Amino acid sequence: MSYKTKQSEELIEFLKQNKNRHMTAEEVYGELHSNGSTVGRTTVYRHLEKLYAEGAIRKFLTGDNSGACFQYVDNPEACHNHYHLRCNSCGRLIHTDCDFLNELAEHIKDEHSFYLDTEKTVIYGVCEHCKANEKEV
Amino acid sequence: MSYKTKQSEELIEFLKQNKNRHMTAEEVYGELHSNGSTVGRTTVYRHLEKLYAEGAIRKFLTGDNSGACFQYVDNPEACHNHYHLRCNSCGRLIHTDCDFLNELAEHIKDEHSFYLDTEKTVIYGVCEHCKANEKEV
DNA sequence: TTGCGTGCAAAGGTTTTGCATGGCA
DNA sequence: TGCCATGCAAAACCTTTGCACGCAA
């Protein structure tokens, strides 16, 4: 991937413009096409894989086997002190800056001899919005 | 699944006898056959799905798309105040009783308006043993 | 010109579904 | 007897790979 091509530029640009979203490869492919791009499905997969390996994007597993989700990482360094909260209901991923995470990692290391991987750990639950909706149902 | 059948008994018995392991559906299927069982692959999938929905077994995603892993839950009630630490290296799942988890859940609820799901949240990292081995590699 | 990037089609692997059969209650 | 569970085969899915063509450098 040392060459700069139209396809890779469109893909990366699209991911950057959707930093707040987490999308499956299929969604990325579909929306790029809606926007007039002609990138092939294979190319989307190949780039997502590459970008993930480089740490430029994040990868989440969905739990219902409907494919992995990807999301652009704005500032890789900044995410070391993040929680990643994922809502089981709406699927939204919430980045949360918080020092409590450091305390947690410290505690787990000291008390449980376990080295927390901030990048991979995702805290599952239900967000405020969905919690409110749940009660109506 | 209200009937009791030979297949479901064999499957559940097998899972109980392998509480310490986490296995893919394919592994469960294969080992049951090695043990003389004739359970079909479809049945294994259907039961694992059902048991997971009931909370009788746990389900983990593998990250490399090689299929979900399942593991029997010994005492579902006891796990409410647990951390689940999963080692990315050896795959071992560590149950850890700890009040710090409650503090974490409180904090996330109060400060981030997010309702942590203890059952589904798994903390990823590297265990002591694998951490030591890593250095040798 | 060189060789990487692309994309179609096909393969690979996991999981689900349709449908007829067999077993439990 | 009535209905659920089973299991084969096929389908549905997501993802990867082979290969020839085209474009970037």
Side-chain angles (χ1 to χ4, degrees), chain A residues 76-104:
Chain A
E77 294 308 313
C79 276
H80 284 304
N81 289 335
H82 273 189
Y83 285 114
H84 290 114
L85 308 174
R86 184 156 197 275
C87 178
N88 290 323
S89 186
C90 65
R92 199 156 63 95
L93 184 77
I94 304 158
H95 295 250
T96 305
D97 259 311
C98 185
D99 284 338
F100 203 86
L101 179 63
N102 293 328
E103 289 182 42
L104 177 69

Side-chain angles (χ1 to χ4, degrees), chain B residues 1-2 5 7 38 40 42-43 46-47:
Chain B
M1 303 268 184
S2 45
T5 64
Q7 289 90 337
T38 56
T42 307
T43 301
R46 278 199 271 241
H47 275 290

Side-chain angles (χ1 to χ4, degrees), chain B residues 47-62:
Chain B
H47 275 290
L48 289 176
E49 168 79 11
K50 193 100 205 300
L51 291 167
Y52 170 60
E54 291 168 353
I57 61 176
R58 216 170 282 282
K59 182 178 182 178
F60 301 102
L61 301 170
T62 44

Side-chain angles (χ1 to χ4, degrees), chain B residues 1-122:
Chain B
M1 303 268 184
S2 45
Y3 291 4
K4 185 187 290 185
T5 64
K6 183 167 67 71
Q7 289 90 337
S8 68
E9 283 187 336
E10 287 174 352
L11 176 57
I12 291 168
E13 185 56 31
F14 176 76
L15 291 172
K16 281 184 182 173
Q17 287 177 0
N18 288 275
K19 286 172 186 169
N20 59 317
R21 301 176 55 200
H22 54 102
M23 302 166 283
T24 63
E26 195 60 29
E27 285 166 347
V28 170
Y29 171 76
E31 297 205 22
L32 276 169
H33 274 246
S34 299
N35 295 348
S37 174
T38 56
V39 197
R41 188 177 269 105
T42 307
T43 301
V44 170
Y45 274 99
R46 278 199 271 241
H47 275 290
L48 289 176
E49 168 79 11
K50 193 100 205 300
L51 291 167
Y52 170 60
E54 291 168 353
I57 61 176
R58 216 170 282 282
K59 182 178 182 178
F60 301 102
L61 301 170
T62 44
D64 59 348
N65 294 314
S66 64
C69 280
F70 298 89
Q71 181 171 38
Y72 191 79
V73 176
D74 205 3
N75 180 356
E77 294 309 312
C79 278
H80 284 303
N81 288 334
H82 273 190
Y83 284 113
H84 289 114
L85 308 174
R86 185 158 197 270
C87 179
N88 290 323
S89 186
C90 65
R92 198 156 62 96
L93 185 75
I94 305 159
H95 296 249
T96 305
D97 257 312
C98 185
D99 284 337
F100 203 87
L101 179 64
N102 294 329
E103 288 183 42
L104 177 68
E106 277 291 310
H107 170 84
I108 289 178
K109 190 182 70 171
D110 295 345
E111 301 295 322
H112 308 297
S113 303
F114 190 86
Y115 301 84
L116 195 152
D117 183 336
T118 315
E119 292 297 312
K120 290 183 184 161
T121 298
V122 179

Side-chain angles (χ1 to χ4, degrees), chain A residues 12-135:
Chain A
I12 292 168
E13 184 57 28
F14 176 76
L15 291 172
K16 281 186 183 174
Q17 287 178 358
N18 288 276
K19 286 171 186 169
N20 59 316
R21 301 175 56 199
H22 54 103
M23 301 165 284
T24 63
E26 195 59 30
E27 285 167 344
V28 170
Y29 171 75
E31 298 206 21
L32 276 170
H33 273 246
S34 299
N35 295 347
S37 174
T38 57
V39 196
R41 188 176 270 105
T42 307
T43 302
V44 170
Y45 274 99
R46 278 198 272 240
H47 276 290
L48 288 176
E49 167 79 13
K50 193 100 205 299
L51 290 167
Y52 170 60
E54 291 168 353
I57 62 176
R58 211 171 287 284
K59 184 179 182 178
F60 300 102
L61 301 169
T62 45
D64 58 349
N65 291 316
S66 63
C69 279
F70 298 88
Q71 181 172 38
Y72 190 78
V73 176
D74 203 5
N75 179 355
E77 294 308 313
C79 276
H80 284 304
N81 289 335
H82 273 189
Y83 285 114
H84 290 114
L85 308 174
R86 184 156 197 275
C87 178
N88 290 323
S89 186
C90 65
R92 199 156 63 95
L93 184 77
I94 304 158
H95 295 250
T96 305
D97 259 311
C98 185
D99 284 338
F100 203 86
L101 179 63
N102 293 328
E103 289 182 42
L104 177 69
E106 277 291 310
H107 170 85
I108 290 178
K109 190 182 71 173
D110 294 345
E111 300 296 322
H112 308 297
S113 303
F114 190 85
Y115 301 83
L116 194 153
D117 183 336
T118 315
E119 293 297 312
K120 288 184 184 159
T121 297
V122 179
I123 294 170
Y124 291 94
V126 180
C127 73
E128 194 172 19
H129 183 255
C130 291
K131 189 78 174 183
N133 285 346
E134 262 182 16
K135 287 169 185 167

